[in-house]
Amino acid sequence: MGVSKTHHFTDEQNRIASISKALGHPARVAIIEYLLKVGTCICGDIVNELPLAQATISQHLKELKNAGLIKGNIEGTAICYCIDEKTFRILKDYFSKVILTVPNQKYY
């Protein structure tokens, strides 16, 4: 495995890449969509929603949390997960800027 050269890129470029990598699995996209629908939930709720084992869901939640896409708050003996709105504002701002920069031309 080669040495990472992330230091050659801006903080914003590295942040967007990290977030995008976390979203690079369909199970994680499904988890985000579920959290957007329900607001908050515990891991068991997601296990009941998706066709994945609890350990697999937990690993995906860990990746999403490490990327800053979700937050987890301890409630009793469980962790209650929700969307981290700050990170989604970063994505919204970035992609809005990109979309406005794309020329209004048809490509064939």
Side-chain angles (χ1 to χ4, degrees), residues 54-105:
Q54 185 274 327
T56 303
I57 296 285
S58 291
Q59 186 61 38
H60 287 305
L61 288 168
K62 179 181 174 185
E63 292 296 324
L64 290 169
K65 192 170 183 217
N66 287 343
L69 288 160
I70 64 173
K71 300 184 279 188
N73 299 314
I74 298 173
E75 292 189 7
T77 60
I79 298 175
C80 189
Y81 293 98
C82 65
I83 296 296
D84 188 331
E85 294 175 8
K86 182 184 83 175
T87 302
F88 280 88
R89 277 193 295 279
I90 291 168
L91 283 175
K92 180 181 177 185
D93 292 346
Y94 175 76
F95 284 110
S96 293
K97 180 176 67 174
V98 168
I99 289 168
L100 290 173
T101 306
V102 173
N104 220 1
Q105 300 175 1

mmCIF file of all heavy atoms in Angstrom, residues 54-105:
data_model
loop_
_atom_site.group_PDB
_atom_site.id
_atom_site.type_symbol
_atom_site.label_atom_id
_atom_site.label_comp_id
_atom_site.label_asym_id
_atom_site.label_seq_id
_atom_site.Cartn_x
_atom_site.Cartn_y
_atom_site.Cartn_z
ATOM 1 N N GLN A 54 -26.431 -7.250 13.171
ATOM 2 C CA GLN A 54 -26.190 -6.164 14.115
ATOM 3 C C GLN A 54 -24.737 -5.726 14.106
ATOM 4 O O GLN A 54 -24.436 -4.524 14.118
ATOM 5 C CB GLN A 54 -26.619 -6.600 15.528
ATOM 6 C CG GLN A 54 -26.539 -5.511 16.578
ATOM 7 C CD GLN A 54 -25.157 -5.394 17.208
ATOM 8 O OE1 GLN A 54 -24.455 -6.382 17.369
ATOM 9 N NE2 GLN A 54 -24.766 -4.177 17.534
ATOM 10 N N ALA A 55 -23.820 -6.665 14.045
ATOM 11 C CA ALA A 55 -22.388 -6.318 14.034
ATOM 12 C C ALA A 55 -22.023 -5.515 12.784
ATOM 13 O O ALA A 55 -21.220 -4.573 12.852
ATOM 14 C CB ALA A 55 -21.539 -7.583 14.119
ATOM 15 N N THR A 56 -22.627 -5.857 11.669
ATOM 16 C CA THR A 56 -22.368 -5.136 10.412
ATOM 17 C C THR A 56 -22.919 -3.722 10.498
ATOM 18 O O THR A 56 -22.242 -2.749 10.117
ATOM 19 C CB THR A 56 -22.993 -5.897 9.226
ATOM 20 O OG1 THR A 56 -22.462 -7.214 9.201
ATOM 21 C CG2 THR A 56 -22.702 -5.199 7.910
ATOM 22 N N ILE A 57 -24.136 -3.583 11.016
ATOM 23 C CA ILE A 57 -24.738 -2.260 11.192
ATOM 24 C C ILE A 57 -23.867 -1.416 12.118
ATOM 25 O O ILE A 57 -23.593 -0.240 11.833
ATOM 26 C CB ILE A 57 -26.165 -2.373 11.777
ATOM 27 C CG1 ILE A 57 -27.099 -3.100 10.808
ATOM 28 C CG2 ILE A 57 -26.711 -0.997 12.175
ATOM 29 C CD1 ILE A 57 -27.547 -2.322 9.620
ATOM 30 N N SER A 58 -23.393 -1.997 13.200
ATOM 31 C CA SER A 58 -22.542 -1.274 14.151
ATOM 32 C C SER A 58 -21.274 -0.764 13.477
ATOM 33 O O SER A 58 -20.827 0.366 13.734
ATOM 34 C CB SER A 58 -22.184 -2.167 15.338
ATOM 35 O OG SER A 58 -23.317 -2.417 16.115
ATOM 36 N N GLN A 59 -20.680 -1.581 12.615
ATOM 37 C CA GLN A 59 -19.466 -1.163 11.904
ATOM 38 C C GLN A 59 -19.764 0.007 10.965
ATOM 39 O O GLN A 59 -19.000 0.969 10.888
ATOM 40 C CB GLN A 59 -18.860 -2.335 11.120
ATOM 41 C CG GLN A 59 -17.538 -2.020 10.472
ATOM 42 C CD GLN A 59 -16.459 -1.634 11.470
ATOM 43 O OE1 GLN A 59 -16.358 -2.179 12.549
ATOM 44 N NE2 GLN A 59 -15.633 -0.660 11.111
ATOM 45 N N HIS A 60 -20.898 -0.066 10.262
ATOM 46 C CA HIS A 60 -21.279 1.034 9.374
ATOM 47 C C HIS A 60 -21.566 2.306 10.170
ATOM 48 O O HIS A 60 -21.178 3.403 9.750
ATOM 49 C CB HIS A 60 -22.493 0.643 8.527
ATOM 50 C CG HIS A 60 -22.174 -0.336 7.439
ATOM 51 N ND1 HIS A 60 -21.194 -0.119 6.489
ATOM 52 C CD2 HIS A 60 -22.719 -1.536 7.145
ATOM 53 C CE1 HIS A 60 -21.145 -1.147 5.658
ATOM 54 N NE2 HIS A 60 -22.070 -2.025 6.038
ATOM 55 N N LEU A 61 -22.224 2.178 11.313
ATOM 56 C CA LEU A 61 -22.480 3.339 12.165
ATOM 57 C C LEU A 61 -21.170 3.968 12.625
ATOM 58 O O LEU A 61 -21.039 5.196 12.665
ATOM 59 C CB LEU A 61 -23.343 2.939 13.371
ATOM 60 C CG LEU A 61 -24.804 2.622 13.062
ATOM 61 C CD1 LEU A 61 -25.465 1.966 14.272
ATOM 62 C CD2 LEU A 61 -25.562 3.868 12.633
ATOM 63 N N LYS A 62 -20.198 3.136 12.950
ATOM 64 C CA LYS A 62 -18.887 3.630 13.377
ATOM 65 C C LYS A 62 -18.234 4.455 12.265
ATOM 66 O O LYS A 62 -17.690 5.536 12.516
ATOM 67 C CB LYS A 62 -17.988 2.454 13.768
ATOM 68 C CG LYS A 62 -16.599 2.851 14.195
ATOM 69 C CD LYS A 62 -15.768 1.633 14.535
ATOM 70 C CE LYS A 62 -14.328 2.026 14.824
ATOM 71 N NZ LYS A 62 -13.472 0.866 15.053
ATOM 72 N N GLU A 63 -18.290 3.944 11.036
ATOM 73 C CA GLU A 63 -17.703 4.670 9.897
ATOM 74 C C GLU A 63 -18.412 6.001 9.660
ATOM 75 O O GLU A 63 -17.770 7.024 9.408
ATOM 76 C CB GLU A 63 -17.760 3.811 8.626
ATOM 77 C CG GLU A 63 -16.868 2.585 8.666
ATOM 78 C CD GLU A 63 -15.393 2.924 8.749
ATOM 79 O OE1 GLU A 63 -14.957 3.923 8.144
ATOM 80 O OE2 GLU A 63 -14.660 2.187 9.439
ATOM 81 N N LEU A 64 -19.739 5.992 9.740
ATOM 82 C CA LEU A 64 -20.506 7.224 9.552
ATOM 83 C C LEU A 64 -20.204 8.231 10.658
ATOM 84 O O LEU A 64 -20.085 9.430 10.407
ATOM 85 C CB LEU A 64 -22.002 6.915 9.502
ATOM 86 C CG LEU A 64 -22.478 6.162 8.257
ATOM 87 C CD1 LEU A 64 -23.902 5.671 8.450
ATOM 88 C CD2 LEU A 64 -22.354 7.040 7.020
ATOM 89 N N LYS A 65 -20.052 7.734 11.867
ATOM 90 C CA LYS A 65 -19.753 8.617 12.996
ATOM 91 C C LYS A 65 -18.341 9.188 12.870
ATOM 92 O O LYS A 65 -18.125 10.384 13.106
ATOM 93 C CB LYS A 65 -19.910 7.858 14.318
ATOM 94 C CG LYS A 65 -19.909 8.773 15.514
ATOM 95 C CD LYS A 65 -20.317 8.046 16.776
ATOM 96 C CE LYS A 65 -20.354 9.049 17.910
ATOM 97 N NZ LYS A 65 -19.910 8.543 19.147
ATOM 98 N N ASN A 66 -17.380 8.358 12.490
ATOM 99 C CA ASN A 66 -15.999 8.831 12.317
ATOM 100 C C ASN A 66 -15.896 9.905 11.244
ATOM 101 O O ASN A 66 -15.056 10.801 11.333
ATOM 102 C CB ASN A 66 -15.068 7.667 11.977
ATOM 103 C CG ASN A 66 -14.794 6.776 13.170
ATOM 104 O OD1 ASN A 66 -15.024 7.151 14.313
ATOM 105 N ND2 ASN A 66 -14.315 5.574 12.911
ATOM 106 N N ALA A 67 -16.749 9.823 10.222
ATOM 107 C CA ALA A 67 -16.747 10.820 9.150
ATOM 108 C C ALA A 67 -17.533 12.071 9.540
ATOM 109 O O ALA A 67 -17.533 13.058 8.807
ATOM 110 C CB ALA A 67 -17.333 10.214 7.872
ATOM 111 N N GLY A 68 -18.203 12.015 10.684
ATOM 112 C CA GLY A 68 -18.962 13.168 11.145
ATOM 113 C C GLY A 68 -20.350 13.282 10.554
ATOM 114 O O GLY A 68 -21.009 14.309 10.700
ATOM 115 N N LEU A 69 -20.806 12.242 9.880
ATOM 116 C CA LEU A 69 -22.133 12.284 9.262
ATOM 117 C C LEU A 69 -23.257 12.052 10.256
ATOM 118 O O LEU A 69 -24.380 12.506 10.039
ATOM 119 C CB LEU A 69 -22.214 11.252 8.125
ATOM 120 C CG LEU A 69 -21.402 11.639 6.890
ATOM 121 C CD1 LEU A 69 -21.123 10.430 6.028
ATOM 122 C CD2 LEU A 69 -22.126 12.711 6.109
ATOM 123 N N ILE A 70 -22.970 11.318 11.326
ATOM 124 C CA ILE A 70 -23.977 11.076 12.356
ATOM 125 C C ILE A 70 -23.366 11.346 13.729
ATOM 126 O O ILE A 70 -22.138 11.390 13.878
ATOM 127 C CB ILE A 70 -24.541 9.633 12.298
ATOM 128 C CG1 ILE A 70 -23.459 8.598 12.594
ATOM 129 C CG2 ILE A 70 -25.229 9.375 10.962
ATOM 130 C CD1 ILE A 70 -23.984 7.174 12.728
ATOM 131 N N LYS A 71 -24.253 11.519 14.695
ATOM 132 C CA LYS A 71 -23.846 11.684 16.091
ATOM 133 C C LYS A 71 -24.512 10.575 16.887
ATOM 134 O O LYS A 71 -25.557 10.064 16.501
ATOM 135 C CB LYS A 71 -24.321 13.022 16.652
ATOM 136 C CG LYS A 71 -23.791 14.226 15.941
ATOM 137 C CD LYS A 71 -24.233 15.508 16.609
ATOM 138 C CE LYS A 71 -25.631 15.873 16.187
ATOM 139 N NZ LYS A 71 -26.070 17.210 16.641
ATOM 140 N N GLY A 72 -23.903 10.211 17.984
ATOM 141 C CA GLY A 72 -24.484 9.218 18.866
ATOM 142 C C GLY A 72 -24.482 9.712 20.297
ATOM 143 O O GLY A 72 -23.445 10.127 20.805
ATOM 144 N N ASN A 73 -25.648 9.693 20.920
ATOM 145 C CA ASN A 73 -25.785 10.120 22.313
ATOM 146 C C ASN A 73 -26.207 8.925 23.155
ATOM 147 O O ASN A 73 -27.112 8.174 22.772
ATOM 148 C CB ASN A 73 -26.831 11.233 22.438
ATOM 149 C CG ASN A 73 -26.452 12.462 21.640
ATOM 150 O OD1 ASN A 73 -25.320 12.909 21.704
ATOM 151 N ND2 ASN A 73 -27.383 12.975 20.872
ATOM 152 N N ILE A 74 -25.560 8.759 24.299
ATOM 153 C CA ILE A 74 -25.891 7.645 25.187
ATOM 154 C C ILE A 74 -27.202 7.946 25.885
ATOM 155 O O ILE A 74 -27.367 9.011 26.490
ATOM 156 C CB ILE A 74 -24.763 7.398 26.206
ATOM 157 C CG1 ILE A 74 -23.477 7.017 25.466
ATOM 158 C CG2 ILE A 74 -25.168 6.331 27.206
ATOM 159 C CD1 ILE A 74 -22.256 6.916 26.349
ATOM 160 N N GLU A 75 -28.135 7.006 25.761
ATOM 161 C CA GLU A 75 -29.425 7.102 26.453
ATOM 162 C C GLU A 75 -29.651 5.776 27.163
ATOM 163 O O GLU A 75 -30.019 4.789 26.527
ATOM 164 C CB GLU A 75 -30.548 7.400 25.465
ATOM 165 C CG GLU A 75 -30.455 8.790 24.871
ATOM 166 C CD GLU A 75 -31.674 9.171 24.051
ATOM 167 O OE1 GLU A 75 -32.660 8.406 24.038
ATOM 168 O OE2 GLU A 75 -31.629 10.229 23.425
ATOM 169 N N GLY A 76 -29.405 5.762 28.448
ATOM 170 C CA GLY A 76 -29.516 4.525 29.212
ATOM 171 C C GLY A 76 -28.418 3.567 28.809
ATOM 172 O O GLY A 76 -27.236 3.893 28.890
ATOM 173 N N THR A 77 -28.817 2.393 28.332
ATOM 174 C CA THR A 77 -27.832 1.384 27.920
ATOM 175 C C THR A 77 -27.613 1.367 26.408
ATOM 176 O O THR A 77 -26.902 0.516 25.897
ATOM 177 C CB THR A 77 -28.289 -0.009 28.374
ATOM 178 O OG1 THR A 77 -29.555 -0.294 27.768
ATOM 179 C CG2 THR A 77 -28.394 -0.096 29.879
ATOM 180 N N ALA A 78 -28.238 2.289 25.686
ATOM 181 C CA ALA A 78 -28.131 2.307 24.219
ATOM 182 C C ALA A 78 -27.577 3.647 23.747
ATOM 183 O O ALA A 78 -27.568 4.633 24.480
ATOM 184 C CB ALA A 78 -29.501 2.058 23.597
ATOM 185 N N ILE A 79 -27.124 3.650 22.521
ATOM 186 C CA ILE A 79 -26.688 4.885 21.870
ATOM 187 C C ILE A 79 -27.768 5.269 20.871
ATOM 188 O O ILE A 79 -28.155 4.462 20.019
ATOM 189 C CB ILE A 79 -25.331 4.716 21.168
ATOM 190 C CG1 ILE A 79 -24.252 4.357 22.183
ATOM 191 C CG2 ILE A 79 -24.962 5.990 20.409
ATOM 192 C CD1 ILE A 79 -22.894 4.061 21.566
ATOM 193 N N CYS A 80 -28.236 6.486 20.976
ATOM 194 C CA CYS A 80 -29.258 7.002 20.071
ATOM 195 C C CYS A 80 -28.552 7.811 18.981
ATOM 196 O O CYS A 80 -27.814 8.752 19.275
ATOM 197 C CB CYS A 80 -30.244 7.868 20.852
ATOM 198 S SG CYS A 80 -31.676 8.326 19.888
ATOM 199 N N TYR A 81 -28.765 7.427 17.727
ATOM 200 C CA TYR A 81 -28.076 8.057 16.601
ATOM 201 C C TYR A 81 -28.975 9.057 15.894
ATOM 202 O O TYR A 81 -30.194 8.893 15.820
ATOM 203 C CB TYR A 81 -27.633 6.993 15.594
ATOM 204 C CG TYR A 81 -26.569 6.086 16.137
ATOM 205 C CD1 TYR A 81 -26.898 4.841 16.663
ATOM 206 C CD2 TYR A 81 -25.231 6.477 16.144
ATOM 207 C CE1 TYR A 81 -25.920 4.000 17.177
ATOM 208 C CE2 TYR A 81 -24.250 5.645 16.658
ATOM 209 C CZ TYR A 81 -24.602 4.413 17.171
ATOM 210 O OH TYR A 81 -23.638 3.597 17.680
ATOM 211 N N CYS A 82 -28.348 10.105 15.344
ATOM 212 C CA CYS A 82 -29.053 11.088 14.525
ATOM 213 C C CYS A 82 -28.056 11.693 13.532
ATOM 214 O O CYS A 82 -26.843 11.508 13.659
ATOM 215 C CB CYS A 82 -29.695 12.170 15.382
ATOM 216 S SG CYS A 82 -28.519 13.194 16.282
ATOM 217 N N ILE A 83 -28.579 12.407 12.571
ATOM 218 C CA ILE A 83 -27.767 13.080 11.561
ATOM 219 C C ILE A 83 -26.986 14.225 12.215
ATOM 220 O O ILE A 83 -27.507 14.919 13.074
ATOM 221 C CB ILE A 83 -28.695 13.653 10.454
ATOM 222 C CG1 ILE A 83 -29.424 12.533 9.705
ATOM 223 C CG2 ILE A 83 -27.949 14.573 9.501
ATOM 224 C CD1 ILE A 83 -28.526 11.609 8.943
ATOM 225 N N ASP A 84 -25.748 14.422 11.795
ATOM 226 C CA ASP A 84 -24.979 15.591 12.228
ATOM 227 C C ASP A 84 -25.189 16.675 11.175
ATOM 228 O O ASP A 84 -24.595 16.634 10.094
ATOM 229 C CB ASP A 84 -23.496 15.245 12.368
ATOM 230 C CG ASP A 84 -22.695 16.375 12.994
ATOM 231 O OD1 ASP A 84 -23.084 17.556 12.836
ATOM 232 O OD2 ASP A 84 -21.678 16.079 13.637
ATOM 233 N N GLU A 85 -26.066 17.611 11.474
ATOM 234 C CA GLU A 85 -26.465 18.635 10.504
ATOM 235 C C GLU A 85 -25.294 19.489 10.037
ATOM 236 O O GLU A 85 -25.277 19.960 8.899
ATOM 237 C CB GLU A 85 -27.564 19.503 11.092
ATOM 238 C CG GLU A 85 -28.853 18.732 11.311
ATOM 239 C CD GLU A 85 -29.930 19.544 12.005
ATOM 240 O OE1 GLU A 85 -29.749 20.762 12.201
ATOM 241 O OE2 GLU A 85 -30.961 18.943 12.343
ATOM 242 N N LYS A 86 -24.302 19.684 10.889
ATOM 243 C CA LYS A 86 -23.140 20.502 10.523
ATOM 244 C C LYS A 86 -22.422 19.914 9.309
ATOM 245 O O LYS A 86 -22.072 20.626 8.366
ATOM 246 C CB LYS A 86 -22.181 20.614 11.715
ATOM 247 C CG LYS A 86 -20.954 21.477 11.447
ATOM 248 C CD LYS A 86 -20.003 21.467 12.613
ATOM 249 C CE LYS A 86 -19.180 20.219 12.471
ATOM 250 N NZ LYS A 86 -18.113 19.991 13.374
ATOM 251 N N THR A 87 -22.233 18.612 9.310
ATOM 252 C CA THR A 87 -21.533 17.963 8.199
ATOM 253 C C THR A 87 -22.366 18.015 6.926
ATOM 254 O O THR A 87 -21.827 18.216 5.832
ATOM 255 C CB THR A 87 -21.188 16.505 8.558
ATOM 256 O OG1 THR A 87 -20.392 16.520 9.745
ATOM 257 C CG2 THR A 87 -20.416 15.824 7.444
ATOM 258 N N PHE A 88 -23.675 17.890 7.055
ATOM 259 C CA PHE A 88 -24.520 17.970 5.868
ATOM 260 C C PHE A 88 -24.561 19.383 5.305
ATOM 261 O O PHE A 88 -24.703 19.565 4.098
ATOM 262 C CB PHE A 88 -25.918 17.403 6.154
ATOM 263 C CG PHE A 88 -25.920 15.906 6.093
ATOM 264 C CD1 PHE A 88 -25.620 15.152 7.220
ATOM 265 C CD2 PHE A 88 -26.162 15.243 4.904
ATOM 266 C CE1 PHE A 88 -25.588 13.766 7.164
ATOM 267 C CE2 PHE A 88 -26.123 13.859 4.832
ATOM 268 C CZ PHE A 88 -25.834 13.120 5.960
ATOM 269 N N ARG A 89 -24.398 20.391 6.146
ATOM 270 C CA ARG A 89 -24.282 21.764 5.638
ATOM 271 C C ARG A 89 -22.985 21.920 4.837
ATOM 272 O O ARG A 89 -22.959 22.599 3.811
ATOM 273 C CB ARG A 89 -24.346 22.778 6.780
ATOM 274 C CG ARG A 89 -25.750 23.119 7.196
ATOM 275 C CD ARG A 89 -25.806 24.343 8.110
ATOM 276 N NE ARG A 89 -25.155 24.153 9.397
ATOM 277 C CZ ARG A 89 -25.710 23.543 10.438
ATOM 278 N NH1 ARG A 89 -26.929 23.072 10.350
ATOM 279 N NH2 ARG A 89 -25.050 23.413 11.569
ATOM 280 N N ILE A 90 -21.909 21.283 5.309
ATOM 281 C CA ILE A 90 -20.638 21.315 4.575
ATOM 282 C C ILE A 90 -20.829 20.696 3.191
ATOM 283 O O ILE A 90 -20.391 21.252 2.179
ATOM 284 C CB ILE A 90 -19.526 20.577 5.360
ATOM 285 C CG1 ILE A 90 -19.146 21.356 6.614
ATOM 286 C CG2 ILE A 90 -18.298 20.316 4.482
ATOM 287 C CD1 ILE A 90 -18.272 20.591 7.592
ATOM 288 N N LEU A 91 -21.505 19.537 3.130
ATOM 289 C CA LEU A 91 -21.767 18.887 1.841
ATOM 290 C C LEU A 91 -22.649 19.749 0.945
ATOM 291 O O LEU A 91 -22.393 19.889 -0.253
ATOM 292 C CB LEU A 91 -22.438 17.524 2.047
ATOM 293 C CG LEU A 91 -21.547 16.381 2.480
ATOM 294 C CD1 LEU A 91 -22.396 15.146 2.754
ATOM 295 C CD2 LEU A 91 -20.494 16.086 1.434
ATOM 296 N N LYS A 92 -23.696 20.313 1.529
ATOM 297 C CA LYS A 92 -24.605 21.158 0.760
ATOM 298 C C LYS A 92 -23.859 22.348 0.167
ATOM 299 O O LYS A 92 -24.006 22.660 -1.017
ATOM 300 C CB LYS A 92 -25.747 21.634 1.645
ATOM 301 C CG LYS A 92 -26.738 22.512 0.927
ATOM 302 C CD LYS A 92 -27.834 22.978 1.876
ATOM 303 C CE LYS A 92 -28.785 23.918 1.173
ATOM 304 N NZ LYS A 92 -29.770 24.482 2.078
ATOM 305 N N ASP A 93 -23.051 23.015 0.976
ATOM 306 C CA ASP A 93 -22.287 24.166 0.499
ATOM 307 C C ASP A 93 -21.320 23.761 -0.603
ATOM 308 O O ASP A 93 -21.198 24.454 -1.621
ATOM 309 C CB ASP A 93 -21.521 24.835 1.648
ATOM 310 C CG ASP A 93 -22.431 25.511 2.653
ATOM 311 O OD1 ASP A 93 -23.635 25.700 2.363
ATOM 312 O OD2 ASP A 93 -21.938 25.825 3.763
ATOM 313 N N TYR A 94 -20.637 22.656 -0.403
ATOM 314 C CA TYR A 94 -19.666 22.205 -1.395
ATOM 315 C C TYR A 94 -20.341 21.870 -2.727
ATOM 316 O O TYR A 94 -19.938 22.358 -3.783
ATOM 317 C CB TYR A 94 -18.882 20.991 -0.881
ATOM 318 C CG TYR A 94 -17.954 20.428 -1.930
ATOM 319 C CD1 TYR A 94 -16.762 21.073 -2.236
ATOM 320 C CD2 TYR A 94 -18.284 19.272 -2.641
ATOM 321 C CE1 TYR A 94 -15.914 20.582 -3.217
ATOM 322 C CE2 TYR A 94 -17.440 18.782 -3.621
ATOM 323 C CZ TYR A 94 -16.259 19.435 -3.909
ATOM 324 O OH TYR A 94 -15.441 18.957 -4.893
ATOM 325 N N PHE A 95 -21.382 21.034 -2.677
ATOM 326 C CA PHE A 95 -22.027 20.615 -3.920
ATOM 327 C C PHE A 95 -22.808 21.751 -4.576
ATOM 328 O O PHE A 95 -22.911 21.799 -5.805
ATOM 329 C CB PHE A 95 -22.886 19.367 -3.708
ATOM 330 C CG PHE A 95 -22.049 18.124 -3.593
ATOM 331 C CD1 PHE A 95 -21.929 17.457 -2.386
ATOM 332 C CD2 PHE A 95 -21.340 17.641 -4.680
ATOM 333 C CE1 PHE A 95 -21.135 16.330 -2.279
ATOM 334 C CE2 PHE A 95 -20.540 16.519 -4.585
ATOM 335 C CZ PHE A 95 -20.436 15.851 -3.379
ATOM 336 N N SER A 96 -23.314 22.679 -3.811
ATOM 337 C CA SER A 96 -23.956 23.860 -4.396
ATOM 338 C C SER A 96 -22.936 24.660 -5.198
ATOM 339 O O SER A 96 -23.210 25.108 -6.308
ATOM 340 C CB SER A 96 -24.566 24.740 -3.306
ATOM 341 O OG SER A 96 -25.632 24.097 -2.683
ATOM 342 N N LYS A 97 -21.737 24.816 -4.609
ATOM 343 C CA LYS A 97 -20.662 25.533 -5.299
ATOM 344 C C LYS A 97 -20.253 24.807 -6.576
ATOM 345 O O LYS A 97 -20.080 25.424 -7.632
ATOM 346 C CB LYS A 97 -19.460 25.680 -4.349
ATOM 347 C CG LYS A 97 -18.279 26.414 -4.930
ATOM 348 C CD LYS A 97 -17.177 26.604 -3.898
ATOM 349 C CE LYS A 97 -16.569 25.288 -3.502
ATOM 350 N NZ LYS A 97 -15.416 25.402 -2.608
ATOM 351 N N VAL A 98 -20.152 23.483 -6.508
ATOM 352 C CA VAL A 98 -19.765 22.696 -7.680
ATOM 353 C C VAL A 98 -20.826 22.806 -8.775
ATOM 354 O O VAL A 98 -20.514 23.038 -9.941
ATOM 355 C CB VAL A 98 -19.523 21.213 -7.294
ATOM 356 C CG1 VAL A 98 -19.402 20.339 -8.526
ATOM 357 C CG2 VAL A 98 -18.285 21.093 -6.434
ATOM 358 N N ILE A 99 -22.082 22.657 -8.396
ATOM 359 C CA ILE A 99 -23.171 22.703 -9.376
ATOM 360 C C ILE A 99 -23.241 24.064 -10.049
ATOM 361 O O ILE A 99 -23.445 24.157 -11.263
ATOM 362 C CB ILE A 99 -24.509 22.325 -8.709
ATOM 363 C CG1 ILE A 99 -24.496 20.832 -8.391
ATOM 364 C CG2 ILE A 99 -25.699 22.692 -9.587
ATOM 365 C CD1 ILE A 99 -25.598 20.365 -7.484
ATOM 366 N N LEU A 100 -23.033 25.136 -9.291
ATOM 367 C CA LEU A 100 -23.057 26.471 -9.885
ATOM 368 C C LEU A 100 -21.872 26.719 -10.811
ATOM 369 O O LEU A 100 -21.937 27.562 -11.685
ATOM 370 C CB LEU A 100 -23.088 27.535 -8.780
ATOM 371 C CG LEU A 100 -24.391 27.620 -7.999
ATOM 372 C CD1 LEU A 100 -24.250 28.584 -6.826
ATOM 373 C CD2 LEU A 100 -25.549 28.027 -8.891
ATOM 374 N N THR A 101 -20.805 25.977 -10.617
ATOM 375 C CA THR A 101 -19.598 26.132 -11.423
ATOM 376 C C THR A 101 -19.668 25.356 -12.738
ATOM 377 O O THR A 101 -19.029 25.716 -13.716
ATOM 378 C CB THR A 101 -18.353 25.687 -10.621
ATOM 379 O OG1 THR A 101 -18.332 26.409 -9.391
ATOM 380 C CG2 THR A 101 -17.070 25.954 -11.374
ATOM 381 N N VAL A 102 -20.471 24.285 -12.751
ATOM 382 C CA VAL A 102 -20.574 23.460 -13.956
ATOM 383 C C VAL A 102 -21.213 24.279 -15.074
ATOM 384 O O VAL A 102 -22.263 24.888 -14.886
ATOM 385 C CB VAL A 102 -21.423 22.188 -13.668
ATOM 386 C CG1 VAL A 102 -21.682 21.412 -14.939
ATOM 387 C CG2 VAL A 102 -20.734 21.326 -12.640
ATOM 388 N N PRO A 103 -20.581 24.297 -16.274
ATOM 389 C CA PRO A 103 -21.157 25.058 -17.373
ATOM 390 C C PRO A 103 -22.512 24.471 -17.792
ATOM 391 O O PRO A 103 -22.754 23.287 -17.663
ATOM 392 C CB PRO A 103 -20.145 24.915 -18.506
ATOM 393 C CG PRO A 103 -19.081 24.011 -18.021
ATOM 394 C CD PRO A 103 -19.353 23.630 -16.612
ATOM 395 N N ASN A 104 -23.354 25.312 -18.280
ATOM 396 C CA ASN A 104 -24.693 24.922 -18.712
ATOM 397 C C ASN A 104 -24.655 24.459 -20.164
ATOM 398 O O ASN A 104 -25.264 25.078 -21.030
ATOM 399 C CB ASN A 104 -25.645 26.116 -18.545
ATOM 400 C CG ASN A 104 -26.982 25.703 -18.036
ATOM 401 O OD1 ASN A 104 -27.225 24.538 -17.773
ATOM 402 N ND2 ASN A 104 -27.862 26.665 -17.904
ATOM 403 N N GLN A 105 -23.903 23.400 -20.427
ATOM 404 C CA GLN A 105 -23.762 22.878 -21.784
ATOM 405 C C GLN A 105 -24.165 21.411 -21.803
ATOM 406 O O GLN A 105 -24.064 20.710 -20.800
ATOM 407 C CB GLN A 105 -22.312 23.000 -22.259
ATOM 408 C CG GLN A 105 -21.803 24.408 -22.297
ATOM 409 C CD GLN A 105 -20.311 24.445 -22.657
ATOM 410 O OE1 GLN A 105 -19.696 23.423 -22.893
ATOM 411 N NE2 GLN A 105 -19.743 25.631 -22.672
#
